């Protein structure tokens, strides 16, 4: 009988590898075929979509139109939506929300009459609550007039409230729409941020000198500073002829302190202050004082918790110029002769 053990021998390693290689090649071929089929299908789908876009919009470069979705907001509790939206807070965020749909940004006709839109209602709440980073300050905002002034614009004003809203003396004028920059002429003039009354806490402002030799500092808030009355006459808070007018505007907000005006003369760095009665100091040297010139930025830090006024030059702290302060104050600037400067409310430097 012929020996048939050869047919029953186990496969060699070489034989197994050869069979495995054949299987891999077959599988690879199948995958390539499937990939080619998918690519053809994808190309066909892209071509179909392009043809559709050309029919709808006339050009393959145009983007497809996303159909708008309609959401019924009448079933949502308005007070709940208002509460959620109130966490946005800033005028820019609320403006963007107002642009999303009519229900948020338009005034809605209600049975009781024409009410505020959701965005206007939230803007009113935030502007009136003081939740806009102005702690320790009382801000006088533009009055709300339906149809002419929106609460959204008032909120925007409250977020950046530091402006020179009161100009006193001849030849002084604003040089930008925000009323944060002023230019003076040949006379003695003064600009006051009377809408921003600092009553407690810590406040910091910067005065950017763009020309001349201004004086910058603080003064008591006064309701009788009539711009038309002082438009043609030289005006500054050290004028002896005006002391009675200043003291006549005194309120309980001033407190018991006797520093009613305090200035830093930028060119020399010297300090001056007055109680508008029997005490006045002009040209006082103080530790750390330095002169400033065109291009420099004078920062002032009013700390009503400690009763101090510190001065910075180009973000560098020079020191405390005056202590013993109490009561309410406004930022102000004066000039003798031509000058120009800008005021800005910001955070104090870390150094």
């Amino acid at each position: 009988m012929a020996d048939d053990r050869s047919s029953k021998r186990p496969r060699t390693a070489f034989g197994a590898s050869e069979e495995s290689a054949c299987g891999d090649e077959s599988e690879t071929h199948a995958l390539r075929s499937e990939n080619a089929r998918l690519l053809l299908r994808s190309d066909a789908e892209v071509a179909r979509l392009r043809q559709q876009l050309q029919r709808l919009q006339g050009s393959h470069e145009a983007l497809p139109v996303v159909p708008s979705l309609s959401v019924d907001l009448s079933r949502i509790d308005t007070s709940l939506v208002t509460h959620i939206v109130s966490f946005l807070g800033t005028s820019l965020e609320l403006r963007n929300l107002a642009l999303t749909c009519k229900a948020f940004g338009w005034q809605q006709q209600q049975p009781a009459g024409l009410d505020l839109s959701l965005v206007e209602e939230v803007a009113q709440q935030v502007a009136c609550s003081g939740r806009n980073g102005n702690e320790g300050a009382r801000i006088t905002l533009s009055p709300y007039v339906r149809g002419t002034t929106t609460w959204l614009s008032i909120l925007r004003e409250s977020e950046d409230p530091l402006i020179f809203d009161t100009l006193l003396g001849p030849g002084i004028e604003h040089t930008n729409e925000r009323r944060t920059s002023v230019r003076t002429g040949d006379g003695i003039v003064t600009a006051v941020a009377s809408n921003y009354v600092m009553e407690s806490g810590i406040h910091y402002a910067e005065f950017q000198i763009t020309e001349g030799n201004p004086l910058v500092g603080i003064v008591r808030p006064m309701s009788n500073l009539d711009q038309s009355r002082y438009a043609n006459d030289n005006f500054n808070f050290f004028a002896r002829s005006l002391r009675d007018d200043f003291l006549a505007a005194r309120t309980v907000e001033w407190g018991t302190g006797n520093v009613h005006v305090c200035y830093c003369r930028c060119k020399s760095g010297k300090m001056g202050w007055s109680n508008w009665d029997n005490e006045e100091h002009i040209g006082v040297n103080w530790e750390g004082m330095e002169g400033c010139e065109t291009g420099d930025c004078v920062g002032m830090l009013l700390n009503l918790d400690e009763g101090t006024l510190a001065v910075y030059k180009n973000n560098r702290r020079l020191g405390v110029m005056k202590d013993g302060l109490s009561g309410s104050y406004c930022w102000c600037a004066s000039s003798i002769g031509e000058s120009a400067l800008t005021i800005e409310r910001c955070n104090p430097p870390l150094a």
Side-chain angles (χ1 to χ4, degrees):
M1 177 181 290
D3 189 359
D4 59 354
R5 287 181 296 178
S6 60
S7 64
K8 298 180 180 180
R9 292 174 184 164
R11 297 172 184 165
T12 63
F14 175 81
S17 299
E18 186 176 29
E19 183 176 331
S20 175
C22 291
D24 291 344
E25 183 177 353
S26 176
E27 184 176 354
T28 300
H29 179 74
L31 290 174
R32 287 177 176 174
S33 299
E34 178 66 13
N35 186 49
R37 185 181 67 80
L38 292 174
L39 287 175
L40 290 174
R41 181 178 177 181
S42 177
D43 291 341
E45 183 70 14
V46 170
R48 185 184 67 80
L49 290 174
R50 284 179 175 173
Q51 291 176 357
Q52 183 179 2
L53 289 176
Q54 288 176 352
R55 289 196 303 270
L56 294 175
Q57 302 180 14
S59 173
H60 67 279
E61 296 179 354
L63 293 175
V65 177
V66 179
S68 59
L69 299 177
S70 297
V71 179
D72 185 7
L73 296 175
S74 63
R75 305 179 65 179
I76 303 177
D77 187 345
T78 304
S79 62
L80 176 61
V81 178
T82 303
H83 180 68
I84 294 173
V85 173
S86 68
F87 286 95
L88 295 178
T90 68
S91 60
L92 177 60
E93 292 170 333
L94 290 175
R95 182 187 66 84
N96 291 336
L97 178 65
L99 295 174
T100 61
C101 66
K102 297 178 181 179
F104 292 152
W106 287 21
Q107 291 177 330
Q108 304 298 305
Q109 183 70 43
Q110 302 292 344
L114 191 61
D115 292 339
L116 297 177
S117 68
L118 183 142
V119 164
E120 279 287 277
E121 184 176 347
V122 173
Q124 179 188 30
Q125 292 177 4
V126 176
C128 295
S129 68
R131 303 196 315 266
N132 42 24
N134 297 307
E135 293 82 2
R138 174 171 50 83
I139 304 169
T140 303
L141 299 174
S142 301
Y144 172 75
V145 181
R146 187 183 295 276
T148 58
T149 304
T150 65
W151 279 110
L152 196 58
S153 64
I154 293 174
L155 176 60
R156 174 67 186 91
E157 180 183 340
S158 72
E159 291 169 345
D160 193 11
L162 198 53
I163 60 175
F164 284 129
D165 61 313
T166 303
L167 304 184
L168 305 163
I172 182 172
E173 60 183 2
H174 294 111
T175 57
N176 63 354
E177 293 184 359
R178 290 178 54 210
R179 297 187 293 169
T180 58
S181 299
V182 293
R183 178 179 295 279
T184 68
D186 295 330
I188 302 174
V189 296
T190 299
V192 187
S194 59
N195 70 312
Y196 188 84
V197 180
M198 298 169 287
E199 300 177 321
S200 63
I202 300 173
H203 306 269
Y204 182 77
E206 289 185 341
F207 300 83
Q208 182 69 48
I209 305 172
T210 53
E211 182 183 345
N213 174 32
L215 295 82
V216 297
I218 56 175
V219 69
R220 296 296 192 189
M222 288 175 280
S223 60
N224 62 349
L225 295 179
D226 187 350
Q227 298 184 78
S228 59
R229 177 184 175 186
Y230 302 108
N232 300 317
D233 299 321
N234 289 335
F235 184 98
N236 75 85
F237 288 119
F238 287 90
R240 295 180 179 272
S241 60
L242 298 176
R243 286 182 174 182
D244 291 340
D245 291 343
F246 300 154
L247 291 175
R250 182 167 192 157
T251 65
V252 294
E253 293 179 342
W254 292 18
T256 59
N258 70 336
V259 180
H260 299 328
V261 60
C262 183
Y263 271 119
C264 174
R265 181 178 290 275
C266 293
K267 185 175 183 179
S268 64
K270 294 185 177 183
M271 182 265 294
W273 70 272
S274 175
N275 69 351
W276 293 329
D277 187 10
N278 57 3
E279 192 168 5
E280 180 177 280
H281 302 269
I282 298 177
V284 178
N285 294 331
W286 55 278
E287 185 177 356
M289 74 175 193
E290 288 186 17
C292 299
E293 56 188 19
T294 298
D296 286 334
C297 180
V298 180
M300 289 201 150
L301 181 69
L302 176 63
N303 188 334
L304 290 174
D305 296 333
E306 299 180 355
T308 59
L309 180 63
V311 179
Y312 291 72
K313 177 182 177 181
N314 299 328
N315 294 324
R316 178 170 54 87
R317 182 182 172 94
L318 300 182
V320 173
M321 183 178 72
K322 188 73 178 79
D323 56 11
L325 306 175
S326 65
S328 56
Y329 293 98
C330 298
W331 298 114
C332 61
S334 289
S335 176
I336 303 174
E338 296 183 359
S339 68
L341 79 162
T342 298
I343 189 172
E344 181 181 5
R345 183 177 69 109
C346 49
N347 295 323
L350 298 178

